[in-house]
Protein backbone atom coordinates (compact mmCIF):
# COMPACT_ATOMS: atom_id res chain seq x y z
CA UNK A 1 0.00 0.00 0.00
CA UNK A 2 1.19 3.54 -0.78
CA UNK A 3 0.92 6.24 1.89
CA UNK A 4 1.49 9.77 0.58
CA UNK A 5 0.73 13.05 2.30
CA UNK A 6 -0.44 15.54 -0.32
CA UNK A 7 -1.74 18.19 2.07
CA UNK A 8 0.90 20.75 1.11
CA UNK A 9 0.14 22.92 -1.95
CA UNK A 10 1.72 21.63 -5.15
CA UNK A 11 3.68 23.87 -7.51
CA UNK A 12 1.19 23.46 -10.32
CA UNK A 13 -1.58 24.96 -8.20
CA UNK A 14 0.58 27.98 -7.42
CA UNK A 15 0.75 28.70 -11.15
CA UNK A 16 -3.00 29.11 -11.41
CA UNK A 17 -3.75 25.55 -12.48
CA UNK A 18 -6.17 23.30 -10.61
CA UNK A 19 -5.45 19.65 -9.96
CA UNK A 20 -8.18 17.27 -11.10
CA UNK A 21 -6.68 14.08 -9.68
CA UNK A 22 -3.43 12.39 -8.72
CA UNK A 23 -2.64 8.74 -9.48
CA UNK A 24 0.24 6.41 -8.75
CA UNK A 25 1.83 4.74 -11.78
CA UNK A 26 5.06 2.82 -12.38
CA UNK A 27 5.86 -0.37 -10.46
CA UNK A 28 3.20 0.24 -7.80
CA UNK A 29 0.47 0.36 -10.45
CA UNK A 30 1.57 -3.10 -11.63
CA UNK A 31 1.99 -4.60 -8.16
CA UNK A 32 5.71 -5.06 -8.88
CA UNK A 33 7.16 -2.62 -6.35
CA UNK A 34 9.68 -3.43 -3.63
CA UNK A 35 11.28 -1.47 -0.79
CA UNK A 36 13.67 0.26 -3.20
CA UNK A 37 11.00 1.22 -5.73
CA UNK A 38 10.41 4.88 -6.49
CA UNK A 39 6.90 6.19 -6.10
CA UNK A 40 5.82 7.58 -9.46
CA UNK A 41 2.92 10.01 -9.41
CA UNK A 42 1.01 11.59 -12.25
CA UNK A 43 -1.08 14.70 -11.72
CA UNK A 44 -3.78 15.71 -14.18
CA UNK A 45 -4.59 19.41 -13.97
CA UNK A 46 -6.78 21.90 -15.79
CA UNK A 47 -5.66 25.31 -17.01
CA UNK A 48 -7.92 28.36 -16.60
CA UNK A 49 -10.35 28.48 -19.52
CA UNK A 50 -10.09 32.28 -19.56
CA UNK A 51 -6.33 32.04 -20.05
CA UNK A 52 -6.81 29.67 -22.99
CA UNK A 53 -9.37 31.99 -24.61
CA UNK A 54 -6.98 34.91 -24.15
CA UNK A 55 -4.32 33.02 -26.06
CA UNK A 56 -1.96 32.71 -23.11
CA UNK A 57 0.73 30.06 -23.28
CA UNK A 58 -0.43 27.06 -21.27
CA UNK A 59 2.04 24.33 -20.18
CA UNK A 60 0.89 20.95 -21.46
CA UNK A 61 3.20 19.08 -19.09
CA UNK A 62 5.08 19.99 -15.93
CA UNK A 63 7.66 17.95 -14.04
CA UNK A 64 7.86 18.73 -10.36
CA UNK A 65 8.82 17.29 -7.02
CA UNK A 66 6.69 16.75 -3.92
CA UNK A 67 8.23 16.55 -0.48
CA UNK A 68 5.66 14.95 1.88
CA UNK A 69 6.06 15.22 5.65
CA UNK A 70 7.73 11.80 5.84
CA UNK A 71 10.84 13.38 4.31
CA UNK A 72 10.85 11.46 1.03
CA UNK A 73 10.77 13.15 -2.36
CA UNK A 74 8.60 11.93 -5.21
CA UNK A 75 9.09 12.95 -8.82
CA UNK A 76 5.74 13.83 -10.32
CA UNK A 77 4.80 14.28 -13.95
CA UNK A 78 1.81 16.53 -14.54
CA UNK A 79 -0.33 16.68 -17.69
CA UNK A 80 -2.91 19.30 -18.58
CA UNK A 81 -6.29 17.68 -19.25
CA UNK A 82 -6.34 18.90 -22.85
CA UNK A 83 -2.98 17.26 -23.54
CA UNK A 84 -4.21 14.05 -21.91
CA UNK A 85 -7.36 14.03 -24.08
CA UNK A 86 -5.30 14.60 -27.24
CA UNK A 87 -3.02 11.68 -26.38
CA UNK A 88 -5.94 9.41 -25.52
CA UNK A 89 -7.46 10.10 -28.93
CA UNK A 90 -4.12 9.12 -30.49
CA UNK A 91 -4.08 5.87 -28.50
CA UNK A 92 -1.02 6.76 -26.43
CA UNK A 93 -0.40 3.97 -23.92
CA UNK A 94 1.00 6.29 -21.24
CA UNK A 95 -2.17 8.36 -21.46
CA UNK A 96 -4.29 5.25 -21.03
CA UNK A 97 -2.31 4.26 -17.93
CA UNK A 98 -2.58 7.80 -16.52
CA UNK A 99 -6.35 7.70 -16.96
CA UNK A 100 -7.01 4.17 -15.70
CA UNK A 101 -4.44 3.48 -12.97
CA UNK A 102 -6.14 1.57 -10.14
CA UNK A 103 -4.05 3.49 -7.57
CA UNK A 104 -5.74 6.88 -7.31
CA UNK A 105 -4.09 8.94 -4.58
CA UNK A 106 -6.30 12.02 -4.89
CA UNK A 107 -9.59 10.79 -6.44
CA UNK A 108 -12.27 12.81 -8.16
CA UNK A 109 -15.37 12.36 -10.26
CA UNK A 110 -13.37 13.53 -13.27
CA UNK A 111 -10.97 10.60 -12.94
CA UNK A 112 -13.84 8.13 -12.67
CA UNK A 113 -15.64 9.57 -15.68
CA UNK A 114 -12.43 9.66 -17.73
CA UNK A 115 -11.49 6.11 -16.80
CA UNK A 116 -14.93 4.84 -17.80
CA UNK A 117 -14.74 6.72 -21.10
CA UNK A 118 -11.30 5.28 -21.91
CA UNK A 119 -12.35 1.73 -21.09
CA UNK A 120 -15.39 2.03 -23.34
CA UNK A 121 -13.26 3.41 -26.19
CA UNK A 122 -10.34 0.98 -26.42
CA UNK A 123 -9.13 0.64 -29.99
CA UNK A 124 -6.66 -1.06 -32.32
CA UNK A 125 -4.71 2.16 -32.82
CA UNK A 126 -3.10 1.72 -29.38
CA UNK A 127 -1.10 -1.22 -30.75
CA UNK A 128 1.56 1.07 -32.22
CA UNK A 129 2.15 2.88 -28.93
CA UNK A 130 2.25 -0.40 -26.99
CA UNK A 131 4.69 -1.94 -29.46
CA UNK A 132 6.93 1.14 -29.35
CA UNK A 133 6.91 1.17 -25.55
CA UNK A 134 7.80 -2.54 -25.35
CA UNK A 135 10.62 -2.18 -27.89
CA UNK A 136 12.10 0.69 -25.89
CA UNK A 137 11.94 -1.36 -22.67
CA UNK A 138 13.60 -4.33 -24.38
CA UNK A 139 16.46 -2.10 -25.57
CA UNK A 140 17.14 -1.01 -21.99
CA UNK A 141 18.27 -4.59 -21.29
CA UNK A 142 20.10 -5.11 -24.57
CA UNK A 143 21.92 -1.78 -24.89
CA UNK A 144 25.01 -1.64 -22.61
CA UNK A 145 24.80 2.10 -21.85
CA UNK A 146 21.08 1.80 -21.02
CA UNK A 147 21.17 -1.31 -18.87
CA UNK A 148 18.98 -0.89 -15.76
CA UNK A 149 20.38 -1.25 -12.25
CA UNK A 150 18.33 -4.43 -11.78
CA UNK A 151 19.31 -7.08 -14.38
CA UNK A 152 16.35 -8.21 -16.47
CA UNK A 153 14.17 -5.27 -15.48
CA UNK A 154 13.79 -4.22 -19.11
CA UNK A 155 12.43 -7.63 -20.14
CA UNK A 156 10.02 -7.70 -17.18
CA UNK A 157 8.65 -4.24 -17.91
CA UNK A 158 8.42 -5.06 -21.62
CA UNK A 159 6.54 -8.28 -20.92
CA UNK A 160 4.00 -6.57 -18.65
CA UNK A 161 3.42 -3.96 -21.36
CA UNK A 162 3.00 -6.66 -24.03
CA UNK A 163 0.63 -8.69 -21.85
CA UNK A 164 -1.39 -5.53 -21.20
CA UNK A 165 -1.61 -4.94 -24.95
CA UNK A 166 -2.69 -8.49 -25.75
CA UNK A 167 -5.53 -8.29 -23.21
CA UNK A 168 -6.58 -4.88 -24.48
CA UNK A 169 -6.60 -5.87 -28.15
CA UNK A 170 -8.03 -9.36 -27.84
CA UNK A 171 -10.52 -8.91 -24.99
CA UNK A 172 -11.11 -5.15 -24.93
CA UNK A 173 -10.25 -4.76 -21.28
CA UNK A 174 -7.67 -3.13 -18.99
CA UNK A 175 -5.56 -5.53 -16.94
CA UNK A 176 -2.51 -4.52 -14.87
CA UNK A 177 -1.02 -8.00 -14.40
CA UNK A 178 2.43 -8.17 -12.74
CA UNK A 179 5.36 -10.12 -14.18
CA UNK A 180 7.11 -11.65 -11.18
CA UNK A 181 9.56 -14.00 -12.93
CA UNK A 182 12.68 -13.22 -14.97
CA UNK A 183 11.61 -13.69 -18.60
CA UNK A 184 14.08 -14.70 -21.27
CA UNK A 185 14.54 -12.75 -24.48
CA UNK A 186 12.93 -15.68 -26.32
CA UNK A 187 9.79 -15.46 -24.18
CA UNK A 188 9.54 -11.72 -24.69
CA UNK A 189 9.94 -11.98 -28.46
CA UNK A 190 7.38 -14.78 -28.65
CA UNK A 191 4.88 -12.61 -26.81
CA UNK A 192 5.69 -9.74 -29.16
CA UNK A 193 4.58 -11.95 -32.03
CA UNK A 194 1.39 -12.76 -30.12
CA UNK A 195 0.83 -9.03 -29.62
CA UNK A 196 0.93 -8.50 -33.38
CA UNK A 197 -1.45 -11.42 -33.88
CA UNK A 198 -3.84 -9.94 -31.30
CA UNK A 199 -3.73 -6.66 -33.23
CA UNK A 200 -4.48 -8.31 -36.57
CA UNK A 201 -7.41 -10.26 -35.11
CA UNK A 202 -8.68 -7.58 -32.73
CA UNK A 203 -12.45 -6.97 -32.80
CA UNK A 204 -11.96 -3.43 -31.51
CA UNK A 205 -12.62 -0.36 -33.67
CA UNK A 206 -9.63 1.21 -35.39
CA UNK A 207 -9.98 4.49 -33.51
CA UNK A 208 -11.78 5.76 -30.40
CA UNK A 209 -14.85 7.98 -30.46
CA UNK A 210 -13.09 11.34 -30.69
CA UNK A 211 -16.35 13.24 -30.30
CA UNK A 212 -16.96 11.72 -26.86
CA UNK A 213 -13.52 12.80 -25.63
CA UNK A 214 -13.88 16.31 -27.08
CA UNK A 215 -17.29 16.72 -25.44
CA UNK A 216 -15.87 15.72 -22.06
CA UNK A 217 -13.06 18.25 -22.45
CA UNK A 218 -15.53 20.97 -23.43
CA UNK A 219 -17.65 20.20 -20.38
CA UNK A 220 -14.63 20.43 -18.07
CA UNK A 221 -13.51 23.72 -19.61
CA UNK A 222 -16.98 25.23 -19.21
CA UNK A 223 -17.27 24.00 -15.63
CA UNK A 224 -13.87 25.48 -14.78
CA UNK A 225 -14.93 28.88 -16.08
CA UNK A 226 -18.26 28.74 -14.25
CA UNK A 227 -16.55 27.82 -10.98
CA UNK A 228 -14.08 30.69 -11.34
CA UNK A 229 -16.90 33.18 -11.88
CA UNK A 230 -18.71 31.81 -8.81
CA UNK A 231 -15.56 32.12 -6.69
CA UNK A 232 -15.06 35.73 -7.83
CA UNK A 233 -18.65 36.62 -6.89
CA UNK A 234 -18.14 35.15 -3.42
CA UNK A 235 -14.97 37.20 -2.93
CA UNK A 236 -16.75 40.41 -3.97
CA UNK A 237 -19.73 39.74 -1.67
Amino acid sequence: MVFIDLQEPMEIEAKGMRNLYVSCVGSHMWGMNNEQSDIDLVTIYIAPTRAILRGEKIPSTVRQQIAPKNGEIYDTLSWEIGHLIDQLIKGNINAIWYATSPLVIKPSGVQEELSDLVQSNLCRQTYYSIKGMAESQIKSDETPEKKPKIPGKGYRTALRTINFGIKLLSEGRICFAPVLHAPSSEEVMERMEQLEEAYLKSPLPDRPDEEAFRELLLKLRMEEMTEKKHDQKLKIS
Side-chain angles (χ1 to χ4, degrees):
M1 185 175 292
V2 184
F3 295 95
I4 302 176
D5 186 348
L6 295 178
Q7 299 303 313
E8 298 179 14
M10 302 169 79
E11 288 183 25
I12 198 69
E13 293 177 331
K15 295 178 181 177
M17 313 298 172
R18 179 168 61 84
N19 292 342
L20 296 175
Y21 67 89
V22 181
S23 291
C24 189
V25 292
S27 59
H28 289 81
M29 179 177 70
W30 297 93
M32 293 173 61
N33 57 293
N34 55 48
E35 293 181 355
Q36 286 74 44
S37 296
D38 294 332
I39 296 180
D40 300 306
L41 301 178
V42 60
T43 300
I44 303 303
Y45 63 93
I46 187 167
T49 304
R50 186 169 184 273
I52 294 174
L53 294 176
R54 280 166 47 87
E56 297 179 23
K57 187 175 181 179
I58 302 300
S60 59
T61 64
V62 176
R63 187 171 291 279
Q64 62 191 49
Q65 289 187 329
I66 304 174
K69 295 177 181 179
N70 59 16
E72 297 182 78
I73 295 177
Y74 307 116
D75 286 327
T76 302
L77 178 63
S78 302
W79 280 22
E80 209 277 329
I81 185 64
H83 179 62
L84 177 64
I85 293 294
D86 285 341
Q87 294 303 310
L88 287 170
I89 291 171
K90 293 178 181 178
N92 182 289
I93 189 59
N94 277 320
I96 290 175
W97 291 339
Y98 295 169
T100 63
S101 170
L103 294 180
V104 184
I105 307 302
K106 183 180 179 182
S108 73
V110 173
Q111 188 278 331
E112 293 177 0
E113 186 174 4
L114 186 61
S115 179
D116 289 343
L117 181 59
V118 170
Q119 294 187 63
S120 63
N121 276 277
L122 300 177
C123 64
R124 298 173 76 245
Q125 181 174 254
T126 306
Y127 164 75
Y128 299 101
S129 181
I130 293 171
K131 180 184 177 183
M133 173 71 74
E135 288 174 341
S136 176
Q137 292 166 332
I138 291 170
K139 285 181 181 178
S140 71
D141 260 357
E142 298 180 343
T143 307
E145 60 270 21
K146 293 184 178 180
K147 277 189 176 294
K149 295 179 181 179
I150 303 174
K153 180 180 178 181
Y155 287 154
R156 282 194 293 274
T157 55
L159 186 57
R160 75 189 186 193
T161 298
I162 295 167
N163 289 342
F164 180 94
I166 291 174
K167 282 285 186 182
L168 184 152
L169 292 166
S170 62
E171 301 179 19
R173 66 188 184 94
I174 299 292
C175 181
F176 294 96
V179 174
L180 303 178
H181 67 287
S184 64
S185 60
E186 291 78 15
E187 179 183 359
V188 173
M189 297 316 297
E190 181 181 348
R191 292 294 281 174
M192 278 289 277
E193 292 178 1
Q194 293 173 12
L195 174 65
E196 181 178 8
E197 182 180 356
Y199 164 68
L200 294 174
K201 296 180 178 179
S202 177
L204 298 178
D206 288 336
R207 296 177 179 277
D209 180 3
E210 180 173 350
E211 182 69 13
F213 283 98
R214 295 297 180 198
E215 282 298 312
L216 173 59
L217 180 58
L218 176 61
K219 185 188 78 167
L220 295 175
R221 297 282 192 222
M222 296 297 288
E223 287 176 351
E224 191 280 333
M225 178 171 275
T226 301
E227 290 171 5
K228 279 287 178 63
K229 287 183 178 179
H230 178 70
D231 291 342
Q232 289 176 351
K233 288 182 179 179
L234 290 178
K235 288 181 181 179
I236 294 175
S237 60

